[in-house]
Amino acid sequence: MSKYHWWRDAVIYQVYVRSFLDSTGDGVGDLAGVRAGLPYLKKLGVDGIWLSPFYPSPQHDHGYDVADYRDVDPLFGDLAEFDLLVAAARRLGIKVLLDIVPNHCSSGHPWFEEALTAEPGSAARARFHFADGRGADGEEPPNNWHSMFGGPAWSRVTEADGRPGQWYLHMFAPEQPDWNWRNPEIAAEFDRTLRFWLDRGIDGFRIDVAAGLFKHPELPDSDDPEADARTRDSVNPLAWNQPEVHRVWREWRAICEEYTARDGRERLLVGEVSVPTAREHALYVRSDELHQAFFFDLLSAPWEADAFRKVISEAMQDIAGTGSTVTWVLNNHDQVRTVTRYGEPATEGSRLGAARARAAALLMLALPGAAYIYQGEELGLPEVVDLPDDVLTDPIFHRTGSRARIRDGCRVPLPWSGQASPFGFTSGAESAKPWLPQPEYFAEYATDRARADTRSFWHLYRDGLQLRATLPQLGEGSLHWLDSVPGVLAFVRGDGLVCAVNFGTAPTPAPVSGTPLLSSGPCPAGVLPGSTAAWWINDR
Ligand code: NOJ
C-alpha cells in the first residue's frame, strides 16, 4: 500500500451539479453533464471532484433536504448513470467525493412521514427531536432557538386527531428536520449509506454540517437565540459542536480505513466544520477522525495582509499541529464569489475584485495543504447580484424576506460557449432555460473563451495547478514568513519557492529579483504591482 496520502495536498473541484452542465435540456445540470465535463476538469488539472447532493429530494434546499440517501433523483439521472460517472472519473484519475447530509433529512423522508403520523413518544418520533410546546396549550416552541435560515428552529405538527400537537426541531428550513443522533438507529442507518456508496467505488465524502448532529441533551434556552440566524454561522453552543459528534467521526473514519485496507485506495472524509476557533477546528481532524475540515477563516478574512497572515498562522499552528494538513477554501456554493467579495464597490464589473481574486487564488495554491475550488472560480465568475426576486430559490430569502447574503448569485449555471444564454449549459433547444437566468455578461466568461485567452483566470488556475503537481516545494511542506513591508505578505515554501502578495494598490519592490515563475497579473522583474501575487524560485 502506498504511503502517499493523496488527500493531504489534493486540489478538489466542487461541482454544483444543478449548475454545471445539463445533458437533458431541462435547464438543470445532471450527472451525465458532469461526466461530459470530466475532460475539461482533467485539463484544468484537479485531483478530484466533490458532487453536491443529487439524491431524491423535494429540493427545498437544493438537495440538502434528502428524502432517500441511497438513490439518485430523476432530475439528475439514475444509479446506472452514477456508476458510469464514477468509472469515467476513475479512468481519468479523478477522485469522486459525494456530499452526505447527516444533520437533517427532508420532511419527505419516509421516516419523517412515519413520525408525523405516529404518536408522541413513539419510536418513530424518537428518530427526530419532537417535543411538547410551552405555554398553556403548548403553543410556544419548546425552546427559543432560531434556525440558521431565519425564524424559529421549531415547527408544530397537527396530530392524528386534527389538533395542534408537538413541535419538531429544524436548525435549517422546516422541510429539513434534524435527526436525533442520540438514537442508535440513526448511526446504523448512516453506516449503511456510507457503505452503499463506498461499495459503488467512490473516494470519500464531504460531510454537511459536520459540527452539528448532536444537540445539548436538555435542549435548553439559549442566551443569544438569534446568534445563528444573525451571523449565519453555527455559534449557538447548545446546538452545535457537542463533544459526542467526535465519536461519529471516529466510526466513519474506521469504515473508510476498512475499505482502504481492502484495496489500498485511501478514502477521504472532509467536514464542513464551522466552529469558533482554529483550535476547536483542529479537534475534528485528529488522526482518527476526519481527514480534512474546510478552514473557512481564510474565506471570511477581509482583503488585508494582516488578516490573512493571522488566519494562515493560526491554521498552520493549530490544525497542522494535529498531523493533518489545512484545507483551504475561498469560494463555495454558500458564499459571495471572491471577485465580487473583494471588489470595491461590490459589483460584477469590479476589475479590482478580479485582480484580488486572482492574487488570492495564487496565494491559496501556494499554501501547504489541500485546496478546494468552486465551479466557476476558475473562470473568475462574479456573483450575479441582480437576480429578480421571483427567480430566487434560496430558503434564506423566503424565510427572511431579505436579499442580504442570499446564495443564488453564486449558483447561476456555468457559461460554456457562445454569445447568449444558455451559453452551452444545456444541450436542449435554444429555448431551454437554465434554472436561474444567466446574465448577458457571462459571454465574457465562457469556458471556450477562457481557454483561448492565456490571460484568463482559467490559465492562471491551470498553470498554478500544473506547477503544484510538478514542483516539490508546493503542496505539503513547510512555510516560513519573510520580512515584508506593510500590506505585503511574503513566505517561502520548502527550499526556495517564494510567494508574495501585495494587498495594497501601489507597487512595491519584489522580494526576489528575477522574473516570476507565475504571477496573477503583469509583474515585471523586481516589482510587485498592487493587488498582485507572484511565485518565484529563489535560487540565490
Ligand atoms: C451547508 C450547505 O453547504 C448549505 O448549502 C446547506 O443549505 C446547509 N448546510 C444545510 O444543509
Side-chain angles (χ1 to χ4, degrees), residues 307-458:
F308 268 64
R309 179 164 178 158
K310 179 168 179 290
V311 300
I312 294 168
S313 302
E314 281 175 3
M316 298 300 299
Q317 186 181 318
D318 292 326
I319 297 164
T322 61
S324 182
T325 52
V326 186
T327 301
W328 307 102
V329 56
L330 289 168
N331 289 284
N332 66 31
H333 65 294
D334 294 329
Q335 304 293 337
V336 173
R337 288 185 178 275
T338 32
V339 167
T340 306
R341 209 164 71 221
Y342 296 147
E344 275 175 0
T347 64
E348 76 279 355
S350 169
R351 290 174 57 152
L352 190 57
R356 289 171 173 173
R358 291 171 65 96
L362 271 204
L363 168 63
M364 176 174 81
L365 294 176
L367 292 172
Y372 281 67
I373 298 172
Y374 173 51
Q375 70 179 35
E377 179 178 334
E378 81 285 12
L379 301 173
L381 276 189
E383 186 81 0
V384 180
V385 291
D386 51 4
L387 290 167
D389 284 4
D390 61 350
V391 302
L392 297 179
T393 61
D394 188 346
I396 295 178
F397 174 69
H398 295 287
R399 280 180 71 75
T400 61
S402 159
R403 295 179 62 96
R405 304 179 70 194
I406 51 163
R407 302 170 297 171
D408 292 274
C410 63
R411 298 175 177 179
V412 175
L414 285 191
W416 289 87
S417 58
Q419 293 303 316
S421 180
F423 299 113
F425 164 70
T426 91
S427 65
E430 284 199 1
S431 58
K433 282 205 170 44
W435 68 276
L436 275 176
Q438 298 160 304
E440 275 172 29
Y441 63 77
F442 262 31
E444 284 169 48
Y445 299 90
T447 62
D448 60 349
R449 248 168 106 161
R451 288 173 67 176
D453 177 0
T454 52
R455 294 158 312 170
S456 68
F457 268 75
W458 196 87

Side-chain angles (χ1 to χ4, degrees), residues 16 50 61 64-65 99 101 104 149 172 176 206 208-209 272 332-334 395 407 411:
Y16 195 67
W50 143 30
D61 187 21
Y64 286 98
D65 47 327
D99 204 324
V101 189
H104 46 267
F149 288 170
F172 296 89
Q176 295 168 296
R206 176 266 187 188
D208 192 55
V209 194
E272 185 206 23
N332 66 31
H333 65 294
D334 294 329
R407 302 170 297 171
R411 298 175 177 179

